[in-house]
Amino acid sequence: MVNKYIPVLQWLPKYKKAFLAGDLSAGITVGIMLIPQGMAYAMIAGLPPVFGLYAALVPQVVYALLGTSRQLAVGPVAMDSLLVASGLGALALSGIEEYIAMAIFLSLFMGAIQLVLGLLRMGFLVNFLSRPVISGFTSAAAIIIGLSQLKHLLGARIEGSNQVHILLGNAVNSLGSTHLLTLLIGLLAIAAMAVIKQVHKSIPAALLIVVLGILSGYAFNLEAMGVSVVGEVPSGLPGFKLPEFDLSRVAELLPIAMTLALIAFMEAISVAKAVEERHDDYKIDANQELIALGTSNIVGSFFQSYPTTGGFSRTAVNDQAGARTGVAPVISAVIVGLTLLFLTPLIYHLPNAILAAIVMVAVFGLIDLRYPAELYKNRKDEFVLLILTFLITLTVGIKEGILLGVLVSLLLLVYRTSKPHIAVLGRIEGTNYFKNVNRFAEDIEVFKEFLILRFDAQLYFGNVEYFKEQLEKEIGKKGEDLRFVILNAEAISYIDSSAVYMLRQTIKELKAKGLTLMIAGAIGPARDILYTSGLIDDIGRENLFVRTYEAYEHCLDASCKSPIEERISTQTLRALLGKQE
């Protein structure tokens, strides 16, 4: 049990010297990446850059002890930073100190939610975030994140917003106050990173641009020329401090904390599973991941960390650089810690436009055009869901986009299950196979005396009326020669109480018309419900069959005696049909 909840106890005793080179290389590489990224993402969250470095320390180490992924790189990410900014921006906060306190408390709050969900084994909740919703939300959020950096890129005062039309309007109105040197620095940084990536993807472009930015800022005294710089960054490691919060704010923070908890988990689990496919020495446990991420955020909040999760780009780099165990993130944390201890004075002269350029290059790569194009060609309904999520996120808000996207996807699921596929079956000539008459019209034998229906979904309150309507419609097509209705129940895994009531009424109505209902192919869970509900007595035990062909033969037999009863023993029949003594 201890090993299950503390995975480090599983892999640390088996650690090999051969792993150290890869872990060391990956840890140093990701640690170097985290320095510019952490500061840039903290700016997205509306926090001083140093808090991005704080968020890159303790959460990494805690996850290394508790996480089931050996390559996931935990720390500040663009998406969560934007959610923090949009959530706290809607509150009436008195100043930057209260804003920082709320951001740190948000880490504690969302971590507690994740921890509770993990302990309750509720990792399956992420399944409700369908890929079209994730794609639409991610692309829209990337645009908002990128545009939110315009104020740093232009060097102008632009009022922030998480609604794209308002943000663009504010930017246009502020164009007249653009600081041209700041804009030039930002554009050069974007161009330089693009060129470096073309030369070789392994070159740490962001770090290189940060170094050049610091050197330029110091050499040319850019701050004196009106260029906004990072300024003084507190040196030293963050101390232990209990998060401050106002109980009256908890209700206001709950929606954003819930959204953060699920989105952060979705980000982490999706990239962790993608990397897991390339390794066969461990398995991802979704519930343990919730526990690990939740604990990372809780403990991190005591060391001034704002919300964190597993990052896409850093995890990919971590894996490519050779990370084999949780030693790699510990090394990354050491790199960040050394920076806080000894290198913060150098960061003073770094232009904010450089950090804005790093954010823009990173997040615009998240905009997905290929997947929507595929959906447009093949799945129009899911394409509409993606576009709807995209537009709501852009124009209404970040939280509203993901929540409404999930709601619409669930409504789409309910709609599909309320009108599932129903097929009228006929026998393929010369065989015992029964297939959809619309798909195999030329080879199908259809008899006026029989109606064979296959219902391809569970029977529940949401589709009982549809089932009955379609049954009555097909009965009407058959006319007066119809004698037997055979329900192929192979795809029916569940029958709820509303469906039991509907079937009981339907059987009475069919009997009044001189028709017999038979059920063929019912699987175990459905058979159990037929017996426990007493519905088997309405149907008649003699009208329950293992295969459609046996029900068909039964109808052909003038004595209406099932051939299966003649071929196998009563004991075997009971075992097949789930009949109880």
Side-chain angles (χ1 to χ4, degrees):
M1 181 63 72
V2 174
N3 287 355
K4 179 180 179 182
Y5 287 104
I6 308 179
V8 67
L9 299 178
Q10 299 175 23
W11 59 261
L12 190 58
K14 303 175 184 177
Y15 194 85
K16 301 177 182 178
K17 289 183 179 179
F19 296 166
L20 185 58
D23 284 340
L24 189 62
S25 173
I28 293 173
T29 303
V30 172
I32 290 171
M33 281 183 67
L34 265 168
I35 296 167
Q37 280 192 355
M39 293 189 295
Y41 294 157
M43 288 174 61
I44 295 176
L47 296 166
V50 71
F51 283 90
L53 300 181
Y54 293 162
L57 279 174
V58 175
Q60 284 199 94
V61 177
V62 175
Y63 180 84
L65 301 176
L66 302 179
T68 56
S69 173
R70 308 284 172 84
Q71 285 79 33
L72 187 68
V74 171
V77 297
M79 189 78 72
D80 287 10
S81 299
L82 181 63
L83 286 169
V84 169
S86 64
L88 296 183
L91 304 180
L93 301 178
S94 59
I96 187 62
E97 293 300 325
E98 187 179 9
Y99 187 95
I100 293 171
M102 288 295 101
I104 294 171
F105 173 68
L106 203 51
S107 179
L108 174 65
F109 199 176
M110 70 167 280
I113 293 172
Q114 289 176 326
L115 180 60
V116 170
L117 291 177
L119 293 174
L120 294 178
R121 316 294 294 174
M122 297 184 73
F124 67 89
L125 285 174
V126 76
N127 296 331
F128 290 103
L129 293 168
S130 65
R131 191 179 173 195
V133 170
I134 294 171
S135 178
F137 171 76
T138 302
S139 295
I143 292 173
I144 294 174
I145 292 170
L147 294 179
S148 71
Q149 298 304 297
L150 283 176
K151 61 183 179 182
H152 301 296
L153 190 71
L154 299 176
R157 292 183 62 84
I158 301 176
E159 188 175 348
S161 174
N162 59 6
Q163 296 173 311
V164 69
H165 53 287
I166 296 176
L167 187 56
L168 285 174
N170 293 341
V172 170
N173 292 334
S174 301
L175 284 177
S177 58
T178 299
H179 190 267
L180 295 180
L181 180 57
T182 300
L183 176 60
L184 178 62
I185 292 170
L187 293 178
L188 286 174
I190 292 172
M193 282 187 284
V195 170
I196 292 171
K197 286 298 181 184
Q198 290 296 321
V199 173
H200 205 290
K201 291 184 178 180
S202 63
I203 299 175
L207 181 67
L208 186 58
I209 295 301
V210 165
V211 172
L212 291 175
I214 292 173
L215 293 175
S216 300
Y218 178 78
F220 299 105
N221 195 12
L222 294 177
E223 184 180 14
M225 298 181 185
V227 175
S228 176
V229 297
V230 170
E232 186 175 352
V233 176
S235 61
L237 302 177
F240 179 87
K241 183 180 180 182
L242 291 176
E244 300 174 2
F245 64 94
D246 184 350
L247 283 175
S248 64
R249 297 279 192 184
V250 172
E252 295 178 278
L253 289 173
L254 180 59
I256 185 62
M258 283 293 298
T259 304
L260 266 170
L262 292 177
I263 293 297
F265 175 52
M266 175 272 294
E267 288 181 87
I269 199 69
S270 59
V271 69
K273 282 188 172 294
V275 173
E276 177 201 19
E277 294 176 0
R278 297 194 288 271
H279 300 271
D280 57 5
D281 56 340
Y282 69 89
K283 291 291 182 183
I284 296 295
D285 182 334
N287 294 306
Q288 181 61 29
E289 287 298 288
L290 272 171
I291 293 172
L293 292 169
T295 307
S296 297
N297 278 292
I298 291 172
V299 177
S301 70
F302 295 125
F303 294 90
Q304 301 180 57
S305 169
Y306 76 98
T308 60
T309 190
F312 288 93
S313 60
R314 292 194 302 271
T315 299
V317 170
N318 204 33
D319 185 39
Q320 292 167 7
R324 297 294 301 273
T325 69
V327 170
V330 174
I331 294 172
S332 297
V334 170
I335 298 296
V336 175
L338 291 174
T339 301
L340 281 167
L341 286 172
F342 305 110
L343 302 180
T344 52
L346 299 178
I347 300 174
Y348 181 97
H349 296 284
L350 176 64
N352 285 326
I354 297 289
L355 294 177
I358 292 172
V359 171
M360 286 183 162
V361 170
V363 300
F364 284 142
L366 297 175
I367 299 174
D368 188 358
L369 298 178
R370 183 178 301 175
Y371 183 60
E374 291 176 2
L375 289 183
Y376 182 77
K377 292 178 182 177
N378 305 313
R379 301 298 299 269
K380 293 293 195 298
D381 55 345
E382 294 193 26
F383 174 76
V384 171
L385 174 61
L386 186 152
I387 294 300
L388 187 62
T389 304
F390 177 80
L391 293 176
I392 292 173
T393 304
L394 273 184
T395 59
V396 180
I398 301 292
K399 301 187 300 294
E400 293 81 1
I402 191 66
L403 295 175
L404 289 176
V406 170
L407 177 60
V408 173
S409 63
L410 291 177
L411 291 176
L412 183 60
L413 173 64
V414 171
Y415 174 77
R416 287 173 179 161
T417 59
S418 69
K419 293 188 176 181
H421 181 256
I422 297 179
V424 176
L425 307 182
R427 190 179 74 165
I428 296 180
E429 295 180 5
T431 73
N432 293 338
Y433 294 104
F434 289 77
K435 298 293 182 181
N436 189 337
V437 297
N438 293 326
R439 292 180 179 269
F440 301 87
E442 297 179 358
D443 303 317
I444 289 287
E445 290 181 341
V446 180
F447 300 93
K448 294 182 179 179
E449 296 87 354
F450 310 112
L451 170 62
I452 307 175
L453 278 181
R454 188 184 72 227
F455 190 73
D456 294 335
Q458 59 177 322
L459 260 172
Y460 77 111
F461 65 91
N463 59 28
V464 291
E465 289 301 321
Y466 179 74
F467 171 84
K468 192 168 184 179
E469 288 173 6
Q470 295 302 307
L471 177 62
E472 292 173 349
K473 178 181 175 181
E474 296 300 334
I475 289 175
K477 290 180 182 179
K478 284 290 184 177
E480 297 180 357
D481 294 325
L482 181 64
R483 292 179 57 199
F484 303 101
V485 177
I486 301 173
L487 174 61
N488 181 301
E490 294 173 354
I492 301 176
S493 60
Y494 181 73
I495 305 172
D496 76 354
S497 59
S498 299
V500 168
Y501 177 80
M502 179 275 296
L503 287 173
R504 187 168 279 127
Q505 294 299 114
T506 300
I507 292 168
K508 290 180 182 178
E509 294 171 7
L510 292 178
K511 286 180 178 178
K513 296 177 182 178
L515 303 177
T516 301
L517 175 69
M518 289 172 286
I519 294 181
I523 61 175
R527 288 200 308 272
D528 291 341
I529 294 171
L530 294 180
Y531 280 97
T532 57
S533 67
L535 192 58
I536 189 65
D537 297 323
D538 297 272
I539 298 170
R541 297 169 190 263
E542 71 281 2
N543 292 323
L544 189 64
F545 297 87
V546 175
R547 294 180 296 175
T548 302
Y549 181 72
E550 292 160 359
Y552 170 77
E553 279 190 337
H554 175 82
C555 298
L556 290 178
D557 188 357
S559 65
C560 284
K561 184 178 181 182
S562 173
I564 192 173
E565 294 184 56
E566 300 174 348
R567 292 198 298 271
I568 63 177
S569 68
T570 302
Q571 184 179 2
T572 304
L573 181 63
R574 284 175 175 165
L576 287 171
L577 300 181
K579 187 174 180 181
Q580 301 177 6
E581 294 291 347

